[in-house]
Amino acid sequence: MTGLVRAELLKLRSTRTALGLFIVILVITLVPLGILVFALPKDLLEEAGVSGFLATASSLVPLVLLVFGILGMTNEYRHGTITYSYLVTPRRWQVMVVKLTVYAVVGILTMIVAVALVYLVIKLGGAVRGVRIDASGGSTLADYARQIVVAGLTTTFGVGLGALLRAQVITVAATLIWALAVENIIVLIKPAVGRWLPFIVFDQVRAMELPDDGAGMLFEQFTRPQAFALSLAYIAVVSVAAVFISLRRDVT
């Protein structure tokens, strides 16, 4: 297993996918954040606080990490490197477990870096503009920790989807459409069904504010432990299905 971990880390270091997506994360978080910090009136800066800007700036990071997980797996099939992994380690479930673990760690570390950079930009921007921006804004370390955990969950879910579906472009496009549009439509039409959908479940782990009909939430949310357990179940089901199907597929 140690050799598989080293091989997985080598793949991440030797390809441009990880670096490219990390640059994308920096761009989608820091550029809009910088514009907001230096363009908003000072009273709005003080009112928003660090947590408000952090939630806005980091909202797209899990989706980028989702794509990163999908690419990390589908690239293996696209370039044929998965064949060597399976030849060295015939037990394919071990390859999947290692990949899920490594990508979970990478997703978590990436989110930690993103959160730290966002915090730094906000504090520096406030200092430059002479505004004291509230560091807590009603949020706690647990709130930030949940965002970081969800980043790891979505990254591994992307790995599972990539292993199951294999087709890179189709998987990325279909997953983003499902996450950004289809699930939200289902939530509005059938809230009782929508609360069980994977990305809505991830949002419940993060405790993001979901669509409101003016009289409260559209559905009764799961508790955070329940949502977390359900998230792990989704990842496990997709990954087990991917391993099961791979045993009946030719990967050469």
Side-chain angles (χ1 to χ4, degrees):
M1 295 288 278
T2 304
L4 281 175
V5 172
R6 286 200 299 266
E8 201 60 46
L9 293 175
L10 177 61
K11 292 174 188 175
L12 287 173
R13 294 197 307 269
S14 59
T15 60
R16 291 174 290 185
T17 303
L19 178 60
L21 287 173
F22 185 70
I23 292 173
V24 170
I25 288 174
L26 293 181
V27 171
I28 65 174
T29 54
L30 299 185
V31 172
L33 178 63
I35 294 173
L36 287 174
V37 168
F38 289 99
L40 283 178
K42 293 183 178 181
D43 57 336
L44 291 180
L45 283 177
E46 293 177 349
E47 182 180 343
V50 170
S51 60
F53 285 110
L54 184 61
T56 301
S58 61
S59 60
L60 292 178
V61 174
L63 285 177
V64 178
L65 290 172
L66 173 70
V67 173
F68 173 58
I70 293 172
L71 294 180
M73 196 69 217
T74 55
N75 277 338
E76 293 262 27
Y77 289 99
R78 184 179 180 183
H79 299 294
T81 54
I82 193 68
T83 302
Y84 303 106
S85 298
Y86 287 158
L87 287 174
V88 173
T89 309
R91 293 191 177 97
R92 298 185 180 185
W93 66 267
Q94 292 183 351
V95 176
M96 178 61 70
V97 168
V98 169
K99 191 171 283 287
L100 289 171
T101 303
V102 170
Y103 273 76
V105 172
V106 171
I108 288 171
L109 292 177
T110 301
M111 191 60 158
I112 291 174
V113 172
V115 168
L117 289 175
V118 167
Y119 184 88
L120 181 62
V121 169
I122 293 170
K123 298 301 287 186
L124 289 177
V128 170
R129 297 196 62 189
V131 178
R132 184 183 180 279
I133 303 177
D134 184 13
S136 64
S139 295
T140 64
L141 288 176
D143 296 322
Y144 299 132
R146 283 192 294 273
Q147 292 193 54
I148 293 169
V149 168
V150 169
L153 291 173
T154 53
T155 309
T156 53
F157 191 57
V159 172
L161 289 174
L164 180 63
L165 302 177
R166 295 194 180 189
Q168 188 171 94
V169 176
I170 293 175
T171 304
V172 171
T175 303
L176 290 179
I177 291 171
W178 176 267
L180 295 173
V182 176
E183 285 198 358
N184 291 320
I185 293 172
I186 295 174
V187 165
L188 292 173
I189 297 174
K190 292 287 185 181
V193 175
R195 76 174 188 145
W196 291 88
L197 299 176
F199 295 101
I200 298 298
V201 170
F202 292 151
D203 284 346
Q204 292 175 75
V205 176
R206 186 170 43 190
M208 284 185 63
E209 190 173 326
L210 297 176
D212 196 304
D213 61 0
M217 300 306 298
L218 287 174
F219 56 83
E220 182 181 354
Q221 296 190 63
F222 293 109
T223 65
R224 290 185 185 118
Q226 288 173 337
F228 179 72
L230 191 53
S231 299
L232 293 180
Y234 271 118
I235 294 169
V237 168
V238 170
S239 301
V240 169
V243 172
F244 180 79
I245 292 174
S246 74
L247 293 174
R248 288 154 178 78
R249 285 175 173 173
D250 184 9
V251 297
T252 58

